[in-house]
Amino acid sequence: MMARATQRTLGRAIVLMAAAALALPALSATSRGQRSRSSEGGASLTREQAREQILENIKQRRRDAETARLQAARRAPTHTGVTEQQRRTALERALSRRERVPARVTPGLRRVIDAVGSGTLLAAKSPQASASSFVDGQRVRVSLLVVPAQAADLERRIDEAGGSVLSRRGPVVEAWVPAPAFDALLEEGAVRTAGLARPMRLRRSVPMGLAGEPQAATGAVVTEGVPISGADDWQDYDTRAIGLARQAPVRIAVLDLAFGGYQARVGDGELPSDVSASDFAALWDIEGCQSGETPPCIVDGTALAEIVADMSPEVSLHLVAVDPSDFNSVADAIDYLIAQQIRIAVSGLTWSPGFFGDGFGNGPISTEISRALGAGVTWINDVGDADFLSLLLLDFVPAVSGHWTGSFVDDFDADGYMDVWFSDDDPAIDGWLNEFCLGADDRMFLDLVWDDWVDANSDGVPNSGQNYTIDIWREEAGELFIEVTSFTCCDTGDPFCDPDDFNAQCGDEGDYPWDLLDFANLGTGQACYWLSIFFGEGTPAEDRFHLYWNADSDAAFGTISPDFVPPRSVPEGNRMIPADTPGVVSVGASDLFDDVETFSGRGLADEGAPALCAPARDVSIVTTDPIQGDFFLTSFGAAHVGGAIGLLMQKVKVLDASAALAVLEARARDITGTAPDETCGAGRLCMLTTGCPPSIPNVPPTP
């Protein structure tokens, strides 16, 4: 921790500069089998010759891993592609090995089910909640995404098995389910995904006290973000004396799961005495505690509130507890912000694309937050955390993860397969394939989300009619075949079709623009495969995709084999909801030595996410987690930026939130050398025209 910076005189010029910030193609019907792919010289190969050429390419990649990663160095002359009959034959082989698209049971839930069934209880891994919050004897508390038409029957079967339904919100059923009966409940196909039901947050442990004892400031510990951003200079400048200060306090709300221990922080001066607290989470209280638990339970929001109060001590602070899995809780919180005329909302809540939206600004969360934006609320959120995104999708943080984004284009041969994964790929050869390799017992989890969020009933539940498929191909005996597929279709006259499968997008209530595919190498050595994206049904369009992949070992949880080779990926765009929502101010996470955290989400080019980055790691707060002790969150960066905006608005009455943000963006410190960019936006938070220090002085980085 570091002492408060010595007072420096700002002068009227800085205030005036802050005030000046106010000025501040149709598709072809030709199939891949009807049109051959031609070489640069115009020659055309037969289908058999082209397939042999592809297989030769594959062998060459394995001989030279570096060449394999450079697409330009591994091109063959031509490729005739996949005809409808060829794909049909491949599908028959793949589909004959499955009865239906299996429900995803998150690895975290599966381990708990197995542990309870065997009589051993695993400690909670990653959720930072006591195991008692989701295990009760032989019963496990689960959250089930279900087929809406089958929800009532599923609830009946849960009761008959000795379980109990706790709630049903749209297509989500939360219930206590006996571990021995769990797998049987999945057999009827009503369940699409199953995970543990409890509030989730990824808290990162961190050694504290890097710079000695905290400096008291009216009895409070002060985050290091105050001096390195120049907030202390602004706090010390008396703009009331020159008539520039805002008379009424700026109203800032902090939204998070809960605010455990907040009253103690009021008592010791870390939070203002007039702080207000409102709880919109039905399943836990303002402290984050469920029935039988002893407070404090969830302290995340209290930590954020501490940072906001450190940055802007004179604001009016409102603490708002929200259950992010409950759309009604989110909507009620938004109503509160609007009714209370909150000007700045600092949110520690993030959501994963898939169930909560398409990752391109569409979905129920984006709709609600847009409602707040329209009412004049400036919404500030962290840009996302790659590990937390995996945790939300899988209930655990896997060994490795990645992301790809792109658009579906099939105008080369209109065979249904996306032509290329990357712009420099050759659609005439293997641009439609994306190679990856799994070692023995390695498992890949794939989530494909696209921008077709259609919500005809305006109830947060989509009814997408665009049906995309993940096909995984493998070579065997000189032939390419589909090893596994997420394929479904809507034609009930086709024996392979089952519109009730999760991955079907038939325009029915509960059809999400989201395909899941979990796949493992059950062999004894390395096996290599190829991803492709197929458009099955609906009206084709240049839809945009996010593909999230996670990989882990079935044999050793939290590890991956040395034989694993990831698919080619694009880290840009892996930001979480609501950073994808137009108008949201998203913030990346940096440390006190001006390095952007590797897990901090990245935006897409030209979308303005993140706007800035700000310190998250190693900042001084009093709040500690009752299980972990010292911790930090990616949302600490958002709290610094929200507090900085509030401070500028408080000190300079002519500044609104957007003008204050413009000042911060203009003064931000470029710590990547490429600002503005997709990792740190305009740069690291700085409030001074003269610039801010590069990092904490005289303190060596943590090894």
Side-chain angles (χ1 to χ4, degrees), residues 561-599:
S561 78
D563 290 329
F564 175 76
V565 178
R568 292 178 298 153
S569 301
V570 179
E572 289 76 19
N574 69 342
R575 72 281 187 276
M576 296 172 66
I577 300 169
D580 64 326
T581 306
V584 166
V585 179
S586 60
V587 181
S590 60
D591 62 19
L592 294 180
F593 307 98
D594 280 353
D595 291 321
V596 180
E597 300 287 4
T598 57
F599 50 78

Side-chain angles (χ1 to χ4, degrees), residues 48 101 117 122 124 180 245 333 368 377 379 418 438 455 474 507 562 569 571 634:
E48 291 73 18
V101 177
L122 294 175
E368 284 300 320
V377 179
W379 192 285
M418 184 177 69
L438 300 178
D455 185 2
R474 188 177 180 187
S569 301
T634 53

